[in-house]
Amino acid sequence: MQALAERYRPTVILVGRSPAPPEQEAAETANLTTAREIKAALLRGMGSQDKPAALAEVEAAYGRLLREREMRSNLRRLQRTGARVEYHSLDVRDEAAFAALIEGIYTRFGRLDGVIHGAGVVEDRLIKDKTVDSLRRVVSTKVDSAFVLSRSLRPESLKFLVFFSSVSGRFGNRGQGDYAAANEVLNKLAVLLDRAWPARVVAINWGPWDAGMVSDELRRQFQQRGVSLVPVDAGSQRLIEELNAGQKRAPEVLICGEDNQVMARAASTRVAG
């Protein structure tokens, strides 16, 4: 999104489940950088002499603080490009709320030129260890929100709709049966909509990015398996190239790290519906 904002300076409307971060971080932690310093400050602020805060509560507060820092930094970077930036906090699985937001965009601006759907959560488990609630959460976050877009967008004025899918939908991945299934639904929804709509609709089956949901542990696992990560700058550039030069009737595209020879060979072939 940063690369798109720098190039086109659009009105950017971001939607996420996390609450919008405060404009400024609390003074007690604003200048702290290490996990130890931050957690100590949170512990002092959350508890009392009679009843110190539980370690689980401190860990949860620390996680929220890091997420707020990241969101605040990302929003400010986007704003510095000259783009107009809005952030709306809602659960995209809530059809009524998500559809109402989309309708409000059309009411305020008269059109919606492009949409990038990047919703997703991972809760990796083997099928035998999966709960029904977890499976539903993983699948619905991607699939239900995509179906809301398919019903709420106005294709006659839309220029593009991009689904951020995953190579797991194409090749599978251990512990990701639910996540792979959700991504394959996006792939086939892109085929259907690209046939029916004048807009370009594409599901990009990304290899793992060196950011976002990829933890240090996942990085180690990918390295052991010979799977290279997609650098953020390279991935952003490929997205722009796909939007500018990608072809109608090529609704499924695979983009992965350069060292993944098996995936790289598959990436040279677009899957047209």
Side-chain angles (χ1 to χ4, degrees), residues 3 204 206 209 230-246 253-258 267-268 270:
I204 300 181
W206 292 104
W209 281 54
V230 178
V232 173
D233 290 345
S236 299
Q237 182 59 37
R238 291 301 303 275
L239 173 61
I240 291 175
E241 291 171 359
E242 190 59 44
L243 291 176
N244 287 332
V253 174
L254 190 148
I255 301 174
C256 56
E258 294 179 356
S268 64
R270 295 176 183 274

Side-chain angles (χ1 to χ4, degrees), residues 91-269:
D91 188 338
V92 292
R93 297 174 299 175
D94 184 336
E95 180 168 1
F98 194 19
L101 174 67
I102 295 169
E103 184 62 30
I105 293 170
Y106 282 115
T107 299
R108 293 165 55 205
F109 299 103
R111 70 184 200 274
L112 208 171
D113 294 327
V115 175
I116 298 175
H117 174 281
V121 296
V122 289
E123 298 181 12
D124 296 355
R125 295 285 190 281
L126 298 178
I127 290 294
K128 66 183 181 66
D129 299 323
K130 263 287 177 182
T131 66
V132 173
D133 285 344
S134 176
L135 186 147
R136 286 175 175 164
R137 192 160 46 245
V138 171
V139 173
S140 67
T141 299
K142 273 191 175 292
V143 172
D144 289 354
S145 56
F147 284 148
V148 174
L149 289 174
S150 73
R151 291 189 288 266
S152 301
L153 295 175
R154 300 176 185 177
E156 65 276 5
S157 61
L158 189 71
K159 292 183 173 62
F160 65 83
L161 168 59
V162 178
F163 293 119
F164 270 35
S165 186
S166 167
V167 293
S168 67
R170 178 65 56 201
F171 301 106
N173 196 25
R174 179 178 172 83
Q176 289 192 331
D178 48 2
Y179 189 68
N183 282 292
E184 181 61 2
V185 171
L186 293 193
N187 293 339
K188 295 306 175 271
L189 180 59
V191 172
L192 177 67
L193 296 180
D194 192 62
R195 287 174 176 171
W197 290 4
R200 174 83 197 286
V201 183
V202 59
I204 300 181
N205 287 250
W206 292 104
W209 281 54
D210 193 11
M213 293 185 287
V214 178
S215 63
D216 290 339
E217 176 59 27
L218 272 177
R219 285 187 180 89
R220 286 191 291 271
Q221 292 179 22
F222 285 131
Q223 185 177 21
Q224 291 169 357
R225 294 164 55 192
V227 177
S228 60
L229 303 181
V230 178
V232 173
D233 290 345
S236 299
Q237 182 59 37
R238 291 301 303 275
L239 173 61
I240 291 175
E241 291 171 359
E242 190 59 44
L243 291 176
N244 287 332
Q247 298 177 0
K248 182 73 174 171
R249 307 288 292 178
E252 297 182 63
V253 174
L254 190 148
I255 301 174
C256 56
E258 294 179 356
D259 295 335
N260 303 326
Q261 297 302 318
V262 174
M263 294 181 184
R265 288 194 293 272
S268 64
T269 302

